[in-house]
Amino acid sequence: MALVCFPFKKEDVDVVMRNVKTAAQHPRVRMVLLVGASENETYVEIDARLPALGAQCDVPIVQMTQLRLGALREGKGDGMNTALLYFLRAHEYDELFGEPVVSEPLERIHFYDADIESFNSSWITKAEEAADMEYDVIRHYFPRSSTDAQITWQITKVGFSLLFPLSVLPWVQQPLGGELCLTRRCVDVLVSDERVMRQSDWGIDTLYTFVCAQAGMNMIEVYVPEGKLHALYGGLRDLFNMLIECFAALQGLQKCSIRAESVHRIASAEPVPNSVTSKIGYNIEKSLVLLSENWTPRQEELLHVLFPERVAAGLIACRDWPQYSFMDEATWVECYQVLLANFEFGDSDWHELIFKLWVSRVLNYTMRHVIRGYDTAMNELRHMVQDIQQKSAIELIKARREAQGCSPRVLASEQDKMRRVPSELSLFSDEYSSSFKTQAVPGIMNHAT
Ligand code: DGY
């Protein structure tokens, strides 16, 4: 039986209550857990409305505030990790959580953002049916606006493709997705991993995705055709913390090794509805001005010393007038590798710099590709990460062969064998991977129009 968790912050309480009711009335659900970031207005209002809702449902609905568990900014990670701990202990007395709420250990935990207007019971059913096939991780994926998901595409998918090209990670459709279902076995793996428990901020999704893959958990991605209708963003500044924390989480994983074996299935997608293709994900006008803000002499120096000169010149010129034509896909990959090697989490100049670089990248993508239509834009994003993955994979295979002392003239059949990842071999053993990962990968991509 399952627990459904809705982490929340400040939300439309009508939407939250409707989603809680949907979950509580699902036949597979044994309890619903609401984890609030704090005892704010939303929390108080939900508290007041829970007794009436509880009277209409047969399962316990529990609300709590998140525990302070991690070492980074108090955020989404603490909320999700609080839910994992609660899930493991809900059937027994526990010092942190008090009396048991269910009589048997719960088998699966589902997470759904509390503010999803399109949430319905099929989201739970799809995940439960997939879990019945013994997958450990069931992730929901759905169509998103071509101007939405720009941290997913430009940061996480680019990073996974560069750093772990032969693993399942580049293939994960929505690696930052907060809608997922995990088995008890998987939750045990996550809570016993210190890296997960310290990740109290937006980096938590990256950590869940990475650690599940690293532990060889079998994963399936189920498709939700109606998409996730939720409030979209104002200017890109709204995503500042998420950007920094998602990049820092990935940067922190760059020296980790990962094995290739784990099952990964992706349910097929369906035609994307007009409600998604016609949606604009962020306010372009408000975002242009961000390129001129919060400059310091040190940011300029970092640009001149570490980045290609055309990037330094292009970005610094934005102090007077917004520019973004310099930040095409290939240039972004070059910058990304500089960032992987040099970005300092906690340093405000680096935060501003990665933010402005990313804004220029998102604007470049928007003005070159999004204006040519939804399908064109999505194809460009897919090609960008596929090209990075392919180039990085080839470099990695070459480096591995060299590390194994193989002659370049190995027979074709030998080459084929080497393409498969031997089960005992870590893909990224440090001897050759750490230097490889921070080097520029030449010749990546040329999809400019
Ligand atoms: C992402 O990039 O996926 C974030 O949710 C922002 O859209």
Side-chain angles (χ1 to χ4, degrees), residues 66-345:
Q66 66 191 40
L67 303 172
R68 183 67 183 121
L69 297 169
L72 304 172
R73 188 183 62 78
E74 258 176 275
K76 185 184 180 194
D78 273 348
M80 292 185 79
N81 286 340
T82 299
L84 294 189
L85 293 179
Y86 185 87
F87 161 80
L88 289 176
R89 301 169 188 178
H91 62 289
E92 58 196 4
Y93 174 78
D94 183 78
E95 273 183 16
L96 280 177
F97 302 116
E99 295 300 325
V101 178
V102 290
S103 51
E104 301 285 324
L106 292 158
E107 290 160 12
R108 296 165 189 163
I109 180 168
H110 296 235
F111 285 101
Y112 302 104
D113 282 358
D115 66 338
I116 307 173
E117 288 168 25
S118 47
F119 181 74
N120 62 55
S121 63
S122 76
W123 293 45
I124 301 175
T125 307
K126 279 187 185 175
E128 283 289 313
E129 286 174 354
D132 291 346
M133 294 190 283
E134 305 220 316
Y135 289 98
D136 300 299
V137 183
I138 302 95
R139 307 182 65 93
H140 297 72
Y141 82 103
F142 37 81
R144 297 184 76 180
S145 150
S146 56
T147 36
D148 190 13
Q150 290 305 302
I151 299 178
T152 293
W153 282 105
Q154 311 293 350
I155 297 291
T156 313
K157 278 178 162 285
V158 166
F160 280 165
S161 301
L162 262 177
L163 295 169
F164 309 106
L166 296 173
S167 76
V168 300
L169 292 169
W171 300 98
V172 178
Q173 299 291 307
Q174 282 164 7
L176 300 182
E179 286 66 42
L180 68 169
C181 167
L182 310 168
T183 60
R184 202 170 175 92
R185 183 172 102 94
C186 181
V187 174
D188 279 329
V189 167
L190 291 174
V191 301
S192 52
D193 193 310
E194 277 175 16
R195 296 169 301 179
V196 171
M197 296 313 285
R198 77 182 288 278
Q199 195 78 43
S200 43
D201 61 10
W202 285 115
I204 193 65
D205 302 303
T206 309
L207 265 289
Y208 279 16
T209 305
F210 181 85
V211 170
C212 287
Q214 193 178 41
M217 297 281 130
N218 292 338
M219 182 196 335
I220 186 164
E221 298 189 75
V222 296
Y223 188 70
V224 183
E226 58 270 32
K228 180 171 143 181
L229 298 182
H230 65 126
L232 288 182
Y233 312 102
L236 292 172
R237 178 70 70 186
D238 293 1
L239 297 174
F240 185 85
N241 280 344
M242 191 191 285
L243 167 79
I244 308 293
E245 293 170 5
C246 288
F247 180 81
L250 221 145
Q251 187 192 31
L253 294 169
Q254 66 178 314
K255 299 262 164 69
C256 293
S257 60
I258 186 162
R259 285 177 176 272
E261 309 86 7
S262 62
V263 171
H264 178 213
R265 306 272 183 259
I266 308 173
S268 47
E270 290 170 29
V272 181
N274 193 40
S275 56
V276 176
T277 55
S278 60
K279 195 144 199 154
I280 298 291
Y282 69 93
N283 182 322
I284 296 175
E285 198 175 11
K286 269 196 192 163
S287 300
L288 285 168
V289 78
L290 301 173
L291 291 170
S292 65
E293 289 177 2
N294 302 341
W295 279 96
T296 62
R298 180 154 166 269
Q299 288 171 39
E300 293 192 24
E301 193 191 324
L302 289 170
L303 278 169
H304 283 305
V305 173
L306 295 168
F307 289 83
E309 193 41 45
R310 68 185 184 288
V311 173
L315 203 60
I316 291 167
C318 293
R319 297 190 70 146
D320 303 321
W321 189 258
Q323 298 192 15
Y324 39 78
S325 59
F326 60 92
M327 194 56 91
D328 61 11
E329 289 76 15
T331 305
W332 177 240
V333 176
E334 276 182 72
C335 291
Y336 199 103
Q337 290 177 319
V338 173
L339 290 165
L340 278 175
N342 298 284
F343 173 79
E344 286 177 31
F345 185 48

Side-chain angles (χ1 to χ4, degrees), residues 33-47:
L33 178 66
L34 283 144
V35 180
S38 66
E39 257 181 61
N40 61 9
E41 274 170 36
T42 307
Y43 187 97
V44 172
E45 197 179 332
I46 291 176
D47 224 25

Side-chain angles (χ1 to χ4, degrees), residues 8 13 16-17 20-21 24 32-34 42-57 59-64:
F8 69 92
V13 177
V16 178
M17 298 314 277
V20 170
K21 185 172 174 186
V32 177
L33 178 66
L34 283 144
T42 307
Y43 187 97
V44 172
E45 197 179 332
I46 291 176
D47 224 25
R49 288 167 62 171
L50 271 186
L53 181 63
Q56 299 170 45
C57 307
V59 300
I61 304 173
V62 173
Q63 171 164 247
M64 65 176 58

